[in-house]
Amino acid sequence: MRAPAPLFRSSSLLFLWILLAACAPSATTPPVEPARTVELPPPPAPAPAAVAAEPEPDPGTAVPVTRADPWWGDPLAPVTVVVWGDYECPFTSRYMATLEQLKEAYGPDRLRVVWKHNPLPFHRNARSAHLAAETVFRLGGAEAFWKFHALAFANQRALTSESLEAWAAEAGVDRAAFRASVERQQHEPKVEQDLAAGKAVGVRGTPASFINGVSVSGAQPIDKLRSVIDEQLRAAEELRRSGVPQERVYAALSAQNRERAPAPAPPAAPAEDDRTVWKVPVDGSPTRGNPAAPVTLVMFSDLECPFCRRVAPTLEGLEKKYGQQLRLVFKHNPLPFHRRAEPAAELALEARAQKGDAAFWKAYELLRQGSLEDADLEAHARTLGLDVARAQKAIAARRHAARIERDKNLADDLEAKGTPHFFINGRRLVGAQAAEKFEALIDEQLAHAAKLMAAGTPPAKVYDALQKDAKAGTPPERILAPAPTRANPGKGAKPGASVTIQMFADFQCPFCKRVQPTLDEIIAAYPGKVRVVFRHLPLPFHRQAPLAAEASVEAFRQKGEAGFWAMAQRLWDHQSEGLSREALERHAAAIGLDVAKLGAALDSGAHRAAVEADSKLAASLHITGTPSFAINDYFLSGAQSASRFKRLVDRALGPREPPTKESLHGAKRAAAPPAAAPQPPVTPGLMGAKHLLVMYAGSRRAPPHVTRSRDEARALAGQALKRAQQGARFEDLVAQYSDEPGAAGRGGDLGRFPKGAMVREFEQALENVAVGALSGVVETPFGFHVILRTH
């Protein structure tokens, strides 16, 4: 089948990233009281006039939502996301950033977000933060609530009473009224009601969400959330077509989805990988017990972690039960959201440096019992009989940071991502488990060790024998990114530095903003050795990001690297205000650019090719989310901690390790296409596609009635792409958007064609997407295309 003439030479003719995780109380957390009726102060009155005249949505019974809950978006939106969260939970914080992207992608007409309180018992500042948030909502309404809400998550480590009051005032609430209400705990019943409601629908940790009643647990990646939202948008549209009133859609769908929800799954069977023996070297770490014990239990722990503290009595019981048969090894893994974990680790290691392993374990006992502020550490140093001044200097100077980093790196290699995390003779056991779990694995290892000793292995060599053939940790991913040129703005060391960090970023991405201080820290930590280079990757659901990227290129052209980074920083600093054309010109003026030249560059699209070149490079490297980094040829994804960057920078500075085919980023994806996109039988040399084409006045073969500008055509194609990504039928979009003669009749289908039949830009874009996947907006001389690969 031949493709239409306009595309043939003979006629002249990418989605985001993961940290999945959730805070959750252990099984020993006291149960929440059953739901009870409470008297609540009346919620803020709805706005007058048009809003009040609209029908009130049915709250539903499956996951009830009323005006007593803080909400964002139209109450009659077809999709409602109800979130149970905790202001002190780091995973809820991460999830809030994802929700901001969803709010921007879908808008208030299609998406409503509702907040429910779920302060977890082991987060000591959470309860007061939730009471303060509810008080702000009651005194100032939804707008004030969301301002306070954003401030609380942006300053999660500073949830003091003074901060809460200051944020309430910043949100527009009267300080005196706020203080009086909080002191009386006037709105505590609503927090209790949300906790009970969460328990009733199966909430066990934070964040926990229900999208029109569909349960989503943890800080899931955006693509998973989008798939659920898109499905619910379609379901809501079907209900409306069947005659269900708009105000009943949420109640009907949430009830329907909760009824269809599967029964709670039984406890998962141990994964096959649980039998893997991992290579976990003792490596000079603090030990307790018989050095020649047949069983070695290695614990990765955080001295501020409540679960690590909770499991300590279990470990003591194991030591008493097994005696000389068990050796305990301590590895440090202070988590980034535990502010005092690393200073506590420094004190424990300093105790060891001054007085040996026995002093380390005494420090461990003291440090896991309470507060870890500077005064507490000083008191512990005195109790331990240490040289207090020397201990304080060690903590301040991070004297033992290298030991801590070595343990953290090993934890990364072993994918020991949380604490506590255990390896018993190399076998993994995760979390604050019951004693029976430990005992079963220890008994199994004792039997195995007995066989080794019967065969002649000395007891002191059993662990070494087991480790000999153990599995090493996962090596870091590699990426073969081409070296940047002087056309790519950079900062830090000069071009040609020992280490170049190429950052693929988006000016509307909150994680790109968050990682900037970390990159500056890395540059400062390696003077003259690290250069950070910027690559553009505006994501398709960030509508203002492409133009902002072009504006930053113009800043680079006018004022070099200093101008680029000044513009970039302003764009990130003012991200929440939006990056409209007017805002871009305002930021340009603030840093001293020639605004007229900037406007001309944006109007003409002078820098569009530079931005698109970086985006195409990202696609070829299988980079789909921001921020992503090529650290020489090591790959890192996301706004990671400074320690993660330092680890890869150190490896890049050391002897080069040749990458393997399996270690390359995207290798698994390239080797195994998703099952959801089955490929038809392959005919050698042929490709196939459907497409829609948006033309503009002056594009090749544009008919006289097409009078739109190039920018208008590009925006229209972007709109079509967005709808395709949200699940609209491609054939329907072709009928609505495509200017190609006859396209609607065949659904945009071009059939199958040999390589070389299409214009270069079209063919290159097609080669960069998998069968069943969409391209981005692709420009050719004929206009702007959206392409769906079919063969």
Side-chain angles (χ1 to χ4, degrees), residues 173-238:
V173 170
D174 180 76
R175 278 181 183 267
F178 172 83
R179 191 182 307 122
S181 180
V182 168
E183 286 174 356
R184 295 197 307 271
Q185 296 192 328
Q186 185 179 357
H187 304 297
E188 182 73 12
K190 178 59 163 66
V191 178
E192 288 290 340
Q193 188 184 59
D194 283 358
L195 282 165
K199 181 175 174 59
V201 295
V203 172
R204 297 292 179 266
T206 55
S209 299
F210 292 86
I211 303 176
N212 279 6
V214 177
S215 176
V216 178
S217 178
Q220 298 286 352
I222 195 169
D223 54 347
K224 180 169 182 177
L225 298 168
R226 288 177 71 101
S227 68
V228 179
I229 292 170
D230 291 344
E231 181 183 348
Q232 290 306 304
L233 284 170
R234 290 190 288 271
E237 180 60 27
E238 288 176 10

Side-chain angles (χ1 to χ4, degrees), residues 193-558:
Q193 188 184 59
D194 283 358
L195 282 165
K199 181 175 174 59
V201 295
V203 172
R204 297 292 179 266
T206 55
S209 299
F210 292 86
I211 303 176
N212 279 6
V214 177
S215 176
V216 178
S217 178
Q220 298 286 352
I222 195 169
D223 54 347
K224 180 169 182 177
L225 298 168
R226 288 177 71 101
S227 68
V228 179
I229 292 170
D230 291 344
E231 181 183 348
Q232 290 306 304
L233 284 170
R234 290 190 288 271
E237 180 60 27
E238 288 176 10
L239 277 186
R240 293 289 290 119
R241 287 175 181 170
S242 68
V244 174
Q246 192 170 3
E247 61 269 23
R248 282 279 304 146
V249 166
Y250 171 71
L253 282 177
S254 58
Q256 187 181 97
N257 288 324
R258 293 295 291 159
E259 186 178 342
R260 292 175 180 171
E272 290 183 15
D273 195 46
D274 284 353
R275 302 204 63 81
T276 301
V277 178
W278 293 90
K279 194 177 289 294
V280 191
V282 174
D283 190 28
S285 294
T287 63
R288 184 163 77 183
N290 178 15
V295 175
T296 294
L297 187 156
V298 180
M299 57 188 292
F300 286 86
S301 187
D302 170 316
L303 293 168
E304 195 178 352
C305 167
F307 302 108
C308 298
R309 295 179 176 188
R310 188 174 298 165
V311 80
T314 302
L315 299 177
E316 291 169 1
L318 295 172
E319 289 179 285
K320 289 177 183 176
K321 177 174 180 175
Y322 291 99
Q324 294 295 300
Q325 295 179 303
L326 183 66
R327 172 176 62 158
L328 209 62
V329 178
F330 191 99
K331 300 280 187 183
H332 295 273
N333 192 21
L335 302 178
F337 49 85
H338 286 155
R339 180 177 59 88
R340 300 299 298 173
E342 191 153 348
E346 288 282 352
L347 177 62
L349 288 168
E350 179 60 22
R352 185 188 191 212
Q354 291 191 30
K355 293 197 166 189
D357 272 8
F360 173 88
W361 290 103
K362 287 180 183 177
Y364 164 74
E365 302 294 339
L366 287 170
L367 291 163
R368 66 181 175 82
Q369 292 177 11
S371 176
L372 300 174
E373 298 302 325
D374 288 341
D376 302 304
L377 299 185
E378 181 181 346
H380 293 327
R382 294 185 192 284
T383 301
L384 293 164
L386 304 183
D387 180 329
V388 176
R390 179 179 161 192
Q392 289 175 319
K393 288 180 181 177
I395 295 169
R398 301 183 69 238
R399 185 176 296 161
H400 305 288
R403 170 83 255 179
I404 296 169
E405 285 298 317
R406 193 188 318 171
D407 287 354
K408 288 167 66 177
N409 290 343
L410 178 60
D412 276 350
D413 284 346
L414 297 170
E415 297 184 8
K417 296 179 180 178
T419 56
H421 210 107
F422 304 94
F423 292 88
I424 299 174
N425 276 6
R427 291 277 301 282
R428 187 191 304 272
L429 187 65
V430 181
Q433 301 278 1
E436 293 78 12
K437 289 277 190 180
F438 287 92
E439 290 168 2
L441 193 46
I442 291 171
D443 290 343
E444 181 184 326
Q445 290 305 306
L446 282 172
H448 189 22
K451 291 179 182 178
L452 289 175
M453 290 186 287
T457 302
K461 296 294 184 182
V462 166
Y463 189 68
D464 292 340
L466 292 169
Q467 288 284 287
K468 183 179 178 182
D469 297 319
K471 180 179 177 180
T474 306
E477 279 190 287
R478 308 298 285 274
I479 189 164
L480 302 180
T485 69
R486 291 188 179 274
N488 304 112
K491 62 180 177 179
K494 295 178 180 179
S498 302
V499 176
T500 297
I501 300 177
Q502 298 190 62
M503 171 177 62
F504 290 81
D506 172 318
F507 290 116
Q508 277 190 277
C509 168
F511 303 105
C512 296
K513 173 183 178 180
R514 186 180 303 173
V515 81
Q516 297 313 306
T518 303
L519 293 174
D520 291 338
E521 180 182 339
I522 298 302
I523 289 171
Y526 298 87
K529 293 182 179 179
V530 174
R531 178 171 175 80
V532 174
V533 171
F534 192 96
R535 295 278 197 178
H536 298 279
L537 183 54
L539 300 178
F541 51 84
H542 285 156
R543 296 190 300 272
Q544 296 175 325
L547 198 64
E550 292 180 37
S552 73
V553 178
E554 177 61 21
F556 181 42
R557 295 289 186 269
Q558 288 192 31

Side-chain angles (χ1 to χ4, degrees), residues 50 233 335 448 576 599 660 753 759 764:
L233 284 170
L335 302 178
H448 189 22
S576 61
T660 63
F753 42 86
V759 293
Q764 285 178 345

Side-chain angles (χ1 to χ4, degrees), residues 485-702:
T485 69
R486 291 188 179 274
N488 304 112
K491 62 180 177 179
K494 295 178 180 179
S498 302
V499 176
T500 297
I501 300 177
Q502 298 190 62
M503 171 177 62
F504 290 81
D506 172 318
F507 290 116
Q508 277 190 277
C509 168
F511 303 105
C512 296
K513 173 183 178 180
R514 186 180 303 173
V515 81
Q516 297 313 306
T518 303
L519 293 174
D520 291 338
E521 180 182 339
I522 298 302
I523 289 171
Y526 298 87
K529 293 182 179 179
V530 174
R531 178 171 175 80
V532 174
V533 171
F534 192 96
R535 295 278 197 178
H536 298 279
L537 183 54
L539 300 178
F541 51 84
H542 285 156
R543 296 190 300 272
Q544 296 175 325
L547 198 64
E550 292 180 37
S552 73
V553 178
E554 177 61 21
F556 181 42
R557 295 289 186 269
Q558 288 192 31
K559 292 207 166 194
E561 290 178 341
F564 172 83
W565 291 108
M567 186 67 165
Q569 195 58 53
R570 281 196 65 89
L571 296 178
W572 279 315
D573 286 345
H574 297 270
Q575 200 173 63
S576 61
E577 301 169 14
L579 302 178
S580 64
R581 172 66 177 266
E582 180 184 359
L584 296 177
E585 292 179 352
R586 185 170 63 251
H587 298 321
I591 64 169
L593 297 186
D594 184 324
V595 178
K597 285 185 178 179
L598 174 85
L602 297 182
D603 289 339
S604 66
H607 306 308
R608 194 169 296 148
V611 174
E612 290 175 351
D614 280 352
S615 297
K616 288 177 181 177
L617 173 61
S620 71
L621 296 171
H622 304 287
I623 294 174
T624 57
T626 57
S628 292
F629 304 90
I631 304 174
N632 280 10
D633 57 9
Y634 292 98
F635 178 72
L636 188 63
S637 175
Q640 302 282 0
S641 65
S643 63
R644 297 293 300 276
F645 280 94
K646 287 179 179 177
R647 184 182 182 200
L648 294 182
V649 169
D650 289 340
R651 293 187 81 139
L653 287 169
R656 188 172 187 274
E657 309 165 20
T660 63
K661 184 178 180 181
E662 295 75 19
S663 70
L664 289 177
H665 174 65
K668 290 181 182 178
R669 189 185 317 167
Q679 299 193 23
V682 175
T683 304
L686 294 184
M687 296 184 287
K690 295 179 181 180
H691 83 130
L692 63 84
L693 170 63
V694 182
M695 297 179 170
Y696 55 89
S699 62
R700 189 178 297 177
R701 300 197 179 179

Side-chain angles (χ1 to χ4, degrees), residues 695-699 702-710 712-713 739:
M695 297 179 170
Y696 55 89
S699 62
H705 68 268
V706 174
T707 58
R708 67 178 73 93
S709 70
R710 185 169 177 272
E712 288 171 339
D739 295 311

